[in-house]
């Protein structure tokens, strides 16, 4: 592979990273739009740097001509979940997609690496459209929890710092930190339902308050100020009491009022 061709070679991978990030972010939006819990919390993507590609090629004794075939993570996507259970939901989402084809899977969540590293890896084949036609590239998708990501990010920096010579006492600390991360994920998994319910309640309340504010603002156009201030006062009283049932009732009442006066269309 000629060095001057690198940029051209990497370009489809950059496009794949952009597209895949958009697609998985869209997945999050779809769940949230339906008012459902999203198994995906965050998505990041990165194009492997030329220096990292060369380093890996050297380590694995891959000739430059075979880099595209043998280095599977030139395009890398990281999907972060809240709970371990979500990782497997995401794996199934990927398995069922028709716009990517799975080449291989590695479950380091169940089969933890010696270092303590945990994550689920999927290598996919993915088509990108270029000016020269369709190109099938490989991409690596890493799926892990927030806690696993915290550990992996820190351990990765230390690996970079020490290369192969990480002192034993740091290895030991990392290993016990990995155990702590596993326990944390298990504990959070045990109270998953409570956490998800609390997050849903928070979102529902936030949306309801935003709706009430919009409607009150619109009502200023059709009602007199004293009437609107009365509604506003009622809202503040209920909000301060924290009574969600009354807040829902008030939200409906203001909604009907707003609809009755056709206030929303007067914007
Ligand atoms: P970077 O800098 O993140 O891109 P293999 O041939 O299977 O032995 P390979 O091809 O490296 O090895 O595959 P593997 O083991 O599935 O690892 C792929 C990527 O997973 C790595 O890419 C890391 O991002 C991550 N990873 C794997 N093991 C560890 C680990 O022990 N600690 C951390 N922090 N990350 C890990 P790169 O190219 O090595 O690194």
């Amino acid at each position: 592979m000629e060095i001057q061709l690198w940029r051209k070679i990497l370009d489809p991978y950059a496009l794949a990273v952009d597209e895949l990030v958009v697609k998985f972010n869209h997945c999050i939006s779809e769940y949230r739009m339906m008012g459902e819990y999203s198994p995906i919390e965050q998505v990041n993507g990165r194009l492997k740097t030329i220096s990292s590609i060369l380093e890996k090629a050297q380590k694995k004794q891959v000739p430059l001509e075979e880099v595209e075939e043998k280095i599977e993570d030139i395009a890398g996507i990281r999907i972060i979940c809240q709970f371990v259970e979500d990782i497997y939901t995401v794996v199934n989402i990927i398995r069922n997609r028709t716009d990517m084809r799975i080449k291989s899977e590695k479950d380091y969540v169940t089969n933890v690496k010696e270092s303590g590293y945990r994550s689920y890896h999927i290598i996919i084949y993915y088509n990108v459209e270029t000016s020269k036609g369709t190109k099938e590239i490989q991409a690596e998708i890493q799926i892990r929890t927030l806690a696993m990501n915290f550990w992996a990010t820190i351990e990765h920096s230390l690996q970079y710092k020490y290369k192969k010579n990480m002192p034993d006492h740091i290895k030991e600390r990392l290993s016990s930190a990995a155990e702590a991360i596993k326990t944390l994920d298990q504990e959070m998994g045990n109270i998953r339902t409570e956490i998800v319910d609390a997050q849903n309640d928070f979102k529902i309340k936030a949306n309801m308050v935003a709706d009430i504010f919009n409607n009150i603002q619109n009502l200023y156009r059709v009602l007199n100020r004293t009437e609107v201030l009365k509604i506003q006062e009622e809202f503040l009283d209920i909000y301060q009491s924290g009574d969600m049932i009354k807040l829902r009732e008030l939200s409906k009442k203001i909604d009907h009022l707003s609809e009755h006066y056709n206030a929303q269309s007067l914007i």
Side-chain angles (χ1 to χ4, degrees):
M1 187 194 293
E2 289 172 50
I3 285 182
Q4 65 181 31
L5 294 178
W6 271 90
R7 197 175 297 234
K8 212 170 119 197
I9 286 168
L10 293 187
D11 195 52
Y13 291 87
L15 176 59
V17 169
D18 288 347
E19 286 186 12
L20 288 165
V21 168
V22 167
K23 287 182 176 185
F24 286 115
N25 268 324
H26 189 259
C27 248
I28 302 179
S29 314
E30 262 189 297
Y31 278 104
R32 295 195 176 150
M33 239 157 40
M34 291 185 295
E36 286 177 24
Y37 170 79
S38 168
I40 302 178
E41 179 65 17
Q42 291 166 24
V43 186
N44 305 306
R46 67 101 183 91
L47 181 67
K48 207 172 180 72
T49 61
I50 294 178
S51 140
S52 273
I53 296 173
L54 290 178
E55 207 173 297
K56 199 161 185 174
Q58 201 176 12
K59 191 172 119 200
K60 295 186 154 206
Q61 299 190 320
V62 173
L64 285 188
E65 304 70 56
E66 293 174 23
V67 154
E68 282 196 89
E69 185 200 331
K70 303 263 173 71
I71 308 284
E72 300 169 317
D73 65 341
I74 296 178
I77 301 296
R78 189 164 292 154
I79 295 181
I80 310 293
C81 309
Q82 294 199 79
F83 303 100
V84 178
E85 198 183 315
D86 302 334
I87 295 179
Y88 295 97
T89 308
V90 174
V91 170
N92 279 325
I93 291 174
I94 295 171
R95 284 182 186 150
N96 288 324
R97 289 190 73 112
T98 52
D99 56 348
M100 44 194 88
R101 188 162 58 87
I102 294 181
K103 177 186 178 189
S104 62
E105 294 182 27
K106 285 183 197 163
D107 184 355
Y108 297 132
V109 175
T110 311
N111 311 305
V112 185
K113 281 190 109 170
E114 208 189 319
S115 58
Y117 176 78
R118 291 167 74 228
S119 205
Y120 199 106
H121 292 189
I122 300 183
I123 306 295
I124 56 160
Y125 290 113
Y126 181 74
N127 282 342
V128 282
E129 296 304 320
T130 73
S131 55
K132 299 274 181 298
T134 307
K135 181 174 164 90
E136 187 182 66
I137 59 113
Q138 303 187 65
E140 181 186 70
I141 307 178
Q142 298 182 342
I143 312 154
R144 50 172 81 148
T145 62
L146 286 156
M148 291 173 194
N149 192 46
F150 173 53
W151 184 92
T153 306
I154 287 175
E155 196 261 2
H156 190 270
S157 322
L158 290 171
Q159 259 188 42
Y160 184 79
K161 176 174 175 189
Y162 292 110
K163 302 283 173 208
K164 291 225 173 309
N165 307 310
M166 194 184 296
D168 282 346
H169 73 279
I170 294 191
K171 272 193 203 159
E172 278 157 26
R173 295 268 171 181
L174 281 171
S175 176
S176 68
E179 276 305 313
I181 291 289
K182 193 172 172 191
T183 310
L184 176 67
D185 269 335
Q186 270 163 357
E187 288 297 324
M188 290 303 184
N190 290 339
I191 49 167
R192 185 181 188 278
T193 318
E194 282 76 3
I195 298 172
V196 171
D197 282 353
Q199 289 170 344
N200 278 342
D201 286 352
F202 178 81
K203 268 181 223 144
I204 291 169
K205 188 175 176 186
N207 289 342
M208 210 145 60
V209 169
D211 275 354
I212 292 174
F213 262 65
N214 273 341
N215 278 330
I216 289 181
Q217 209 171 1
N218 294 334
L219 285 173
Y220 266 104
R221 298 163 205 274
V222 287
L223 296 181
N224 68 50
R225 194 164 170 268
T226 320
E227 282 172 309
V228 186
L229 284 176
K230 222 174 119 199
I231 296 171
Q232 196 168 305
E233 236 166 74
E234 193 182 347
F235 161 71
L236 287 174
D237 279 348
I238 295 175
Y239 183 81
Q240 274 157 12
S241 76
D243 188 331
M244 285 290 280
I245 297 172
K246 280 197 178 148
L247 194 65
R248 194 166 292 125
E249 280 167 8
L250 179 74
S251 173
K252 273 190 195 154
K253 189 174 110 182
I254 303 178
D255 228 10
H256 287 148
L257 207 60
S258 178
E259 255 174 42
H260 175 75
Y261 286 105
N262 216 1
Q264 282 141 343
S265 63
L266 295 172
I267 305 166

